[in-house]
């Protein structure tokens, strides 16, 4: 006799098994400790500069490359990405996980 035949022949037992599994699931869910909004520290610093009236090539040569060279020596730096557009420059600095981002921000300001 297969499990399907026994489930059809004994519907009360089958229903009680499903109700029991649902009760165990609800009990387990109430005991589960999940934080819906965990505290996470951001490990990215953005440096945005504007230079009105300048072309993208001028900003890249006079601003972006200078900033990239100076900021690449900041400690615990994982990755640096630059983007240059007309009138603006963006430097995205990603740091190692677990560092003090306030200290890293102060180091970036010092550079």
């Amino acid at each position: 006799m297969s499990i399907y035949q026994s489930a059809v022949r004994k519907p009360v037992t089958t229903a009680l098994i499903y109700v029991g599994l649902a009760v165990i699931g609800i009990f387990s869910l109430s005991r589960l400790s999940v934080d819906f909004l965990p505290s996470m520290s951001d490990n990215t610093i953005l440096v945005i500069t504007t230079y009105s009236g300048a072309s993208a090539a001028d900003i890249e040569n006079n601003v972006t490359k200078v900033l990239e060279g100076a900021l690449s020596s900041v400690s615990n730096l994982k990755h640096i990405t630059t983007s240059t557009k007309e009138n603006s420059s963006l430097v995205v600095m990603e740091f190692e996980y677990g560092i003090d981002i306030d200290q890293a921000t102060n180091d970036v300001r010092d550079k």
Side-chain angles (χ1 to χ4, degrees):
M1 181 160 58
S2 73
I3 192 167
Y4 303 115
Q5 289 174 347
S6 64
V8 171
R9 288 194 180 130
K10 301 176 185 178
V12 175
T13 305
T14 304
L16 287 176
I17 289 172
Y18 283 120
V19 168
L21 288 173
V23 168
I24 290 172
I26 291 171
F27 177 75
S28 298
L29 184 64
S30 69
R31 299 286 183 211
L32 187 64
S33 63
V34 175
D35 193 3
F36 291 113
L37 297 171
S39 62
M40 294 185 64
S41 62
D42 193 17
N43 62 345
T44 304
I45 296 176
L46 302 175
V47 178
I48 302 170
T49 55
T50 58
Y51 187 7
S52 299
S55 67
D58 290 339
I59 292 176
E60 182 176 4
N61 292 331
N62 297 330
V63 178
T64 306
K65 287 186 179 182
V66 174
L67 282 174
E68 187 176 5
L71 296 175
S72 63
S73 64
V74 175
S75 62
N76 296 321
L77 184 63
K78 183 178 179 182
H79 188 68
I80 189 167
T81 306
T82 59
S83 174
T84 303
K85 295 181 182 176
E86 195 169 317
N87 297 328
S88 67
S89 171
L90 173 68
V91 179
V92 179
M93 300 180 351
E94 182 181 352
F95 290 89
E96 298 291 335
Y97 181 74
I99 66 157
D100 183 15
I101 199 69
D102 293 329
Q103 181 64 35
T105 304
N106 290 333
D107 291 344
V108 169
R109 277 192 207 122
D110 291 343
K111 297 289 180 180

